[in-house]
């Protein structure tokens, strides 16, 4: 029997505001424990929460970006449970009527092969606002203890709940990537999974293919990287299929993913899980989001990734793959377009960004803004190649130096004497030397071993330190090696 998986994701995105959702405390990451707290976020008696308008604005941006419907009136509710890092004994969230319903994001399942274009819409169920809880730090040694840090209490979160539209771990991975891309374009979330800016829980069930009813689902928590989500889902789907195949029954439980052991552990079964006893938050008035405010926010939205990609395809006539890579982040796309103001061959610039620039970013594990090269400087380098002043190979070395020092291509080329040798006589001299020194190879070549041609080119380039114009070298060698 073939089984299919049904997955829904709940993604918590920390909104990039300076202060918390219901008080003025800072949200800065990495401060000393409990340094960013006040009576409100510590849940002292008699204090009142005041909603941070910016958090609503940011969440509205996301709803608009996915095409969701904003409720003109929504409500905050108390989700009651006891935990040491939850000082109030409840979390303020939205339950019965959230900020928004609906919308979707589109994922691309063509794996970089544009010919098999296969897009899938993942529908959004709801988007709502809530506050984060504190952090418990468990120290396990002979006098085990748990420390509590309340800095995270009241940090604003936006929860994005998808419909169970995902049918494989890979789709979940792509969906998360798409959400992250949108959050980054909108500049409303830091999206650093290690710092907990973006967290994800999954509801997973399996059923025999063709079956209409849903299977019993489990909830997988604690996945803190994109790859972790994919691995955890693969693991959980396999586990459920194995149980069903051996005639067992899936239990409705919550599981914790252990990234190190690459397996799940059982947290609690849902049958005994707490009833959160949601009720309307009496300390906050209803949240009213007026039409004209939404319109105002709409006007501040940047061009979104799908739209930008389409525009790049049309305007710059680059391949679909290039457009996807270049628009994968807003900063990269901006760098590309800025470069094109100074350089007029879109495909060549794209090749350089996808090749050399991205390689640098991977090696240095940094963002494009951290490199010391500016778009116009990269354009300047490429113009030197086009004008025949330096070879493409030398340009790569110059590029590396530009990235490290922030200097301009022209300066480096001039200082190091890297100008391409285009003087025919000069190259001829070197070619003759090389042929003289490698007589045996020349004879072999002349008796049919044509592969040796590359060897001669290599020798000439070595002798000229890569500065000889490759076209001329080729031409001269061919002339000299004629019998
Ligand atoms: Zn506070």
């Amino acid at each position: 029997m073939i089984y299919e998986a049904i997955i829904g994701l709940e993604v918590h995105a920390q909104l990039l505001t300076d202060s918390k959702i219901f008080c003025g405390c800072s949200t800065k990451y990495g401060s000393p424990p409990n340094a960013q707290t006040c009576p409100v976020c510590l849940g002292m008696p008699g204090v009142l929460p005041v909603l941070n308008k910016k958090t609503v604005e940011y969440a509205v941006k996301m709803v608009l970006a996915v095409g969701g419907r904003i409720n003109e009136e929504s409500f905050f509710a108390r989700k009651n449970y006891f935990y040491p890092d939850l000082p109030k004994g409840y979390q303020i969230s939205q339950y019965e009527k959230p900020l928004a319903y609906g919308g979707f994001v589109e994922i691309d399942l063509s794996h970089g092969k544009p010919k098999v274009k296969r897009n899938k819409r993942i529908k959004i169920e709801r988007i709502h606002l809530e506050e984060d809880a504190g952090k418990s730090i468990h120290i396990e040694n002979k006098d085990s203890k748990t420390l509590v840090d309340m800095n995270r209490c009241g940090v604003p979160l936006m929860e994005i709940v998808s419909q169970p539209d995902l049918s494989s771990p890979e789709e979940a991975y792509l969906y998360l990537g798409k959400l992250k891309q949108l959050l980054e374009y909108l500049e409303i979330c830091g999206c650093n999974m290690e710092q907990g800016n973006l967290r994800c829980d999954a509801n997973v069930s399996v059923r025999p293919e063709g079956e209409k009813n849903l299977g019993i689902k489990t909830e997988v928590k604690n996945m803190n990287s994109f790859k972790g989500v994919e691995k955890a889902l693969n693991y959980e789907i396999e586990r459920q299929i194995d149980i069903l195949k051996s005639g067992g029954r899936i239990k409705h439980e919550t599981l914790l993913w252990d990234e190190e052991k690459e397996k799940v552990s059982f947290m609690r079964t849902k049958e005994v899980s707490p009833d959160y006893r949601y009720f309307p938050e009496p300390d906050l008035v209803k949240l009213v989001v007026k039409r004209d405010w939404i319109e105002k926010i709409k006007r501040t939205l940047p061009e979104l990734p799908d739209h930008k990609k389409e525009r790049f395809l049309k305007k710059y006539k680059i391949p679909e793959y290039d457009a996807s890579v270049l628009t994968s982040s807003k900063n990269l796309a901006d760098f590309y377009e800025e470069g094109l103001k100074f350089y007029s061959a879109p495909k060549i610039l794209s090749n350089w960004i996808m090749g050399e620039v991205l390689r640098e970013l991977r090696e240095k594990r940094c963002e494009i803004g951290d490199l010391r090269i500016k778009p116009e400087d990269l354009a300047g380098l490429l113009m030197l190649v086009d004008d025949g002043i330096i070879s493409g190979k030398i340009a790569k070395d110059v590029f590396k130096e530009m990235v490290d020092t922030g200097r301009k291509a022209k300066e480096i080329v001039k200082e190091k004497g890297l100008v391409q040798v285009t003087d025919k006589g000069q190259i001829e001299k070197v070619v003759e030397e090389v042929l003289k020194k490698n007589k045996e190879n020349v004879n072999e070549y002349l008796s049919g071993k044509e592969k040796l041609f590359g060897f001669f080119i290599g020798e000439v380039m070595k002798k000229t330190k890569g500065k000889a114009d490759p076209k001329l070298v080729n031409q001269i060698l061919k002339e000299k090696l004629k019998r």
Side-chain angles (χ1 to χ4, degrees):
M1 197 183 289
I2 300 169
Y3 288 87
E4 62 178 7
I6 290 144
I7 305 163
L9 293 185
E10 290 167 11
V11 174
H12 285 94
Q14 182 185 326
L15 294 169
L16 206 55
T17 54
D18 293 333
S19 57
K20 295 184 178 180
I21 185 167
F22 299 122
C23 63
C25 291
S26 169
T27 54
K28 198 169 142 243
Y29 183 83
S31 302
N34 301 307
Q36 290 165 185
T37 55
C38 73
V40 174
C41 54
L42 287 175
M44 300 289 182
V47 297
L48 287 172
V50 177
L51 180 60
N52 178 344
K53 190 174 175 186
K54 203 91 193 162
T55 64
V56 184
E57 182 189 324
Y58 282 3
V60 166
K61 282 187 175 190
M62 187 62 179
V63 177
L64 292 172
V66 300
R69 272 185 343 271
I70 293 158
N71 288 318
E72 202 180 315
E73 286 184 358
S74 63
F75 299 90
F76 284 96
R78 289 188 182 180
K79 178 180 179 180
N80 299 281
Y81 66 97
F82 174 78
Y83 207 74
D85 61 23
L86 188 74
K88 294 200 293 286
Y90 60 85
Q91 178 194 20
I92 303 180
S93 180
Q94 291 193 294
Y95 186 59
E96 268 172 23
K97 201 159 181 206
L99 177 71
Y101 292 117
F104 66 89
V105 299
E106 213 156 56
I107 54 171
D108 176 7
L109 291 163
S110 58
H111 302 103
K113 294 182 214 118
K115 281 196 186 116
V116 281
K117 194 165 176 135
R118 207 155 67 78
N119 282 2
K120 181 173 174 181
R121 275 187 181 189
I122 310 301
K123 294 189 286 305
I124 307 281
E125 170 82 36
R126 55 187 272 152
I127 292 180
H128 71 245
L129 284 164
E130 62 184 31
E131 61 177 341
D132 208 345
K135 212 191 252 170
S136 299
I137 300 142
H138 305 289
I139 295 173
E140 279 164 46
N141 53 27
K142 69 178 190 336
D143 28 45
S144 291
K145 55 190 158 211
T146 292
L147 305 172
V148 183
D149 177 5
M150 302 295 190
N151 281 350
R152 220 176 56 183
C153 274
V155 161
L157 299 179
M158 169 174 62
E159 184 169 343
I160 305 159
V161 182
S162 84
Q163 289 199 13
D165 281 352
L166 300 155
S167 29
S168 70
E170 190 213 357
E171 287 184 16
Y173 179 84
L174 292 171
Y175 167 76
L176 277 175
K178 206 61 197 275
L179 285 188
K180 179 171 181 251
Q181 192 190 30
L182 280 174
L183 292 165
E184 278 173 346
Y185 264 74
L186 295 170
E187 296 173 344
I188 56 172
C189 175
C191 292
N192 184 332
M193 272 188 116
E194 273 136 46
Q195 290 182 10
N197 293 168
L198 205 56
R199 280 169 265 160
C200 167
D201 301 333
N203 288 303
V204 188
S205 66
V206 298
R207 67 181 173 194
E209 221 175 48
E211 168 74 51
K212 286 275 173 291
N213 293 326
L214 288 173
I216 292 170
K217 67 180 179 190
T218 59
E219 192 179 356
V220 188
K221 284 181 174 285
N222 206 33
M223 301 171 288
N224 38 29
S225 71
F226 278 36
K227 277 285 157 203
V229 172
E230 206 178 2
K231 275 187 198 161
L233 290 174
N234 266 317
Y235 179 94
E236 177 56 12
I237 290 166
E238 286 295 310
R239 190 188 72 87
Q240 290 192 15
I241 291 175
D242 284 348
I243 292 176
L244 293 180
K245 276 190 173 160
S246 61
R249 207 175 65 90
I250 311 285
K251 274 186 262 165
H252 189 190
E253 15 185 32
T254 301
L255 312 166
L256 288 184
W257 173 246
D258 186 328
E259 191 107 37
E260 254 166 57
K261 292 184 192 145
E262 296 203 352
K263 56 187 272 192
V264 294
S265 61
F266 300 89
M267 191 168 137
R268 56 173 180 245
T269 64
K270 280 276 171 172
E271 279 93 63
V272 296
S273 76
D275 168 4
Y276 292 120
R277 302 213 274 152
Y278 280 98
F279 65 84
E281 165 62 61
D283 289 343
L284 285 166
V285 291
K286 65 185 176 191
L287 171 57
V288 178
V289 181
K290 291 239 170 75
R291 271 286 125 209
D292 54 349
W293 192 38
I294 296 174
E295 288 306 318
K296 220 169 166 181
I297 295 172
K298 205 183 239 169
R299 286 197 288 276
T300 70
L301 289 186
E303 180 183 34
L304 296 172
D306 288 349
H307 194 263
K308 201 184 274 290
K309 185 179 152 189
E310 285 307 313
R311 185 170 63 79
F312 275 26
L313 283 174
K314 274 201 201 106
K315 190 167 173 190
Y316 304 126
K317 313 249 179 310
I318 48 175
E320 172 139 10
Y321 178 75
D322 293 45
S324 291
V325 174
L326 293 171
T327 56
S328 61
S329 93
K330 184 168 175 288
N331 291 339
L332 202 60
D334 288 348
F335 187 93
Y336 178 65
E337 290 211 279
E338 188 60 28
L340 284 179
K341 286 185 193 158
F342 302 89
Y343 185 71
S344 55
K347 179 56 182 155
I348 295 178
L349 183 59
S350 164
N351 288 347
W352 269 79
I353 291 180
M354 294 198 305
E356 301 310 304
V357 173
L358 288 184
R359 184 170 314 129
E360 280 297 317
L361 297 184
R362 274 195 299 274
E363 271 171 22
K364 297 198 157 65
R365 293 176 166 276
C366 66
E367 297 280 332
I368 190 132
D370 303 328
L371 294 186
R372 297 189 59 190
I373 189 166
K374 291 197 198 74
E376 61 259 43
D377 296 339
L378 176 58
L381 173 68
L382 301 188
M383 283 190 274
L384 291 183
V385 180
D386 289 356
D387 294 346
I389 292 169
I390 55 170
S391 67
K393 191 171 170 299
I394 296 261
K396 289 183 183 175
D397 298 335
V398 175
F399 172 78
K400 270 205 170 299
E401 186 149 347
M402 292 169 77
V403 165
D404 291 336
T405 62
R407 293 172 66 205
K408 301 216 186 311
K410 260 192 186 150
E411 259 176 63
I412 298 170
V413 168
K414 195 171 165 202
E415 185 191 284
K416 300 205 160 176
L418 297 172
V419 173
Q420 185 159 259
V421 179
T422 49
D423 175 24
K424 200 167 172 192
Q426 214 177 329
I427 298 176
E428 254 170 357
K429 233 172 95 192
V430 180
V431 168
E432 271 159 22
E433 271 172 47
V434 165
L435 297 182
K436 210 162 149 195
K437 225 178 121 193
N438 298 283
K439 278 209 172 100
E440 260 176 58
N441 288 323
V442 173
N443 289 335
E444 277 182 54
Y445 175 82
L446 291 176
S447 57
K449 206 170 168 190
E450 284 181 9
K451 266 201 296 193
L452 281 168
F453 195 75
F455 164 79
F456 297 125
I457 289 193
E459 288 299 298
V460 175
M461 292 313 265
K462 224 188 277 170
K463 264 194 151 1
T464 56
K465 299 199 175 75
K467 288 189 294 187
D469 175 359
K471 262 185 260 154
L472 266 180
V473 173
N474 215 295
Q475 188 194 325
I476 296 169
L477 263 172
K478 273 193 182 143
E479 277 166 22
K480 302 263 170 198
L481 283 168
K482 263 190 208 145
R483 325 190 73 184

